[in-house]
């Protein structure tokens, strides 16, 4: 079945006036009820007085219905239908029904054309169209030329009839020879007998071949039976190595389970190790970043401290120049008792003994107390400096450097003794 046949069938049925709409999807699967309905309608359309059985409930009724329709169309319309394809009730049945619909459709078209021609003749009764007669004139001229050629060939043959008549009469008047007739008949009989003998030999050969084939079939059956029995015995007998095979198979299954478990654990540990390495790398990078930030911060603090120490040094350098400029004024002032350092500082709490001018014991005691207080202040400053250095060493052990002393740069201590006087 093609799409074109199905389309033509649906269009013809619509043109013939079938009351139901037929879709192209109706014959994708067998649909015997629709096929039976269409066949009944086509038979009634071809001959309204026809008597076709309409019962298609059982299989026998359906077969009788298909046979009746096929017989009716063969006797009345001379249309041969394939009953097997009609019984399939699918696309192949459409091809068979298309034969009936095409006949009815062509008859309807011819009737319409005849009515149209009659109407045209009535309309053009008093009109003469020379253009429509040109083709008829050409056909008549060709037929006239053929008639002349056929007449000439017939004339030539009739001219030979005199000689042919004599030869024909002589052959008819010649008497038949019995001997030759007998020979011909005997030869024909021999040929027929030979063919009969050959046919008999072939029949005998067929019988012998049939016997040999029966013997071979019997042998094959016996061999098949033996093979079946052997197969049953082999299936019933348990092989000797089957126990060992099953034991090895169980061991293999256990080993496989342990292998799967170890492989799963190994993959998990590898993933955990990768995760640990990744976290360590992140921590290391974070520590490097913090150290870099601390170094930058400490460098900035050192720069600021160096700048402040440089400023303090500049201020200390400017003070002696001012003192030197006022030295003349100080000479004019009356002399006051002034303490000097008499020796090197050997440790904490060292005392300086000696003075430029003589004085009372009270003044010496006061001077010694002042020196002790200065030493205590120096000790506190050194302890604070040591604490700051320890904190800096803990924060950045790499960037350790000289730090300025608390309270700016101290002037160097001069060695003094009583010999200077």
């Amino acid at each position: 079945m093609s799409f074109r046949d199905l389309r033509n069938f649906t269009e013809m049925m619509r043109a013939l006036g079938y009351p139901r709409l037929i879709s192209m999807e109706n014959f994708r699967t067998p649909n015997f009820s629709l096929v039976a309905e269409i066949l009944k309608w086509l038979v009634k359309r071809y001959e309204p007085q026809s008597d076709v059985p309409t019962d298609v409930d059982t299989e026998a009724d359906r077969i009788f219905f298909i046979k009746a329709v096929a017989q009716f169309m063969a006797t009345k319309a001379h249309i041969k239908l394939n009953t097997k394809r009609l019984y399939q009730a699918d696309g192949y049945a459409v091809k068979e029904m298309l034969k009936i619909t095409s006949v009815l459709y062509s008859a309807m078209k011819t009737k319409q054309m005849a009515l149209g021609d009659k109407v045209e003749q009535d309309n053009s009764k008093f009109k003469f169209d020379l253009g429509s007669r040109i083709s008829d004139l050409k056909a008549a001229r060709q037929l006239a030329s053929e008639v002349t050629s056929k007449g000439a060939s017939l004339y030539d043959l009739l001219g030979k009839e005199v000689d042919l008549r004599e030869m024909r009469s002589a052959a008819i008047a010649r008497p038949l020879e019995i001997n030759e007739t007998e020979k011909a008949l005997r030869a024909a009989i021999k040929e027929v007998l030979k063919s009969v003998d050959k046919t008999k030999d072939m029949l005998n050969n067929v019988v012998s071949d049939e016997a040999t084939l029966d013997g071979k079939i019997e042998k094959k059956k016996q061999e098949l039976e033996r093979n079946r029995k052997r197969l049953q015995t082999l299936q019933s007998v348990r092989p000797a190595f089957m126990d060992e095979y099953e034991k090895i198979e169980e061991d293999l299954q256990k080993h496989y389970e342990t292998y799967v478990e170890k492989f799963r654990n190994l993959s998990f540990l590898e993933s955990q190790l990768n995760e640990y390495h990744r976290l360590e790398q992140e921590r290391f990078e974070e520590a490097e970043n913090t150290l870099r930030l601390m170094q930058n911060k400490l460098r900035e603090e050192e720069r600021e401290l160096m700048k402040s120490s440089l400023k303090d040094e500049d201020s200390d350098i400017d003070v002696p120049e001012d003192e030197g400029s006022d030295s003349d004024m100080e000479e004019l002032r009356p002399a006051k008792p002034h303490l000097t350092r008499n020796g090197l500082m050997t440790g904490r709490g060292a005392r300086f003994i000696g003075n430029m001018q003589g004085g009372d014991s009270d003044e010496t005691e006061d001077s010694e107390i002042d020196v002790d207080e200065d030493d205590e202040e120096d000790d506190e400053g050194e302890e604070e400096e040591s604490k700051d250095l320890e904190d800096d060493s803990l924060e950045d052990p790499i960037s350790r450097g000289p730090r300025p002393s608390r309270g700016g740069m101290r002037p160097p201590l001069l060695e003094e003794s009583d010999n200077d006087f």
Side-chain angles (χ1 to χ4, degrees), residues 9 11 41 54 56 89 113 130 145 147 176 178 202-203 226 228 230 249 253 258 276 286 288 308 323 367 399:
F9 178 73
E11 293 295 329
W41 188 83
T54 58
V56 291
M113 289 175 65
L130 186 61
S145 62
V147 167
L176 294 175
I178 297 172
M202 290 175 69
L203 290 172
R226 285 197 301 271
R228 284 180 178 174
R230 186 178 179 185
E249 189 174 6
Q253 184 67 26
T258 55
Y276 176 74
E286 187 176 357
E288 284 186 349
S308 63
E323 290 176 354
S367 64
S399 62

Side-chain angles (χ1 to χ4, degrees), residues 78-90:
H78 301 288
I79 297 172
K80 186 178 180 181
L81 299 176
N82 193 341
T83 55
K84 290 183 179 179
R85 291 184 176 181
L86 285 175
Y87 191 77
Q88 288 178 4
D90 54 0

Side-chain angles (χ1 to χ4, degrees), residues 408-419:
M409 297 292 289
R410 291 176 180 270
L413 295 175
L414 299 175
E415 295 182 357
E416 295 178 358
S417 65
D418 293 336
N419 294 328

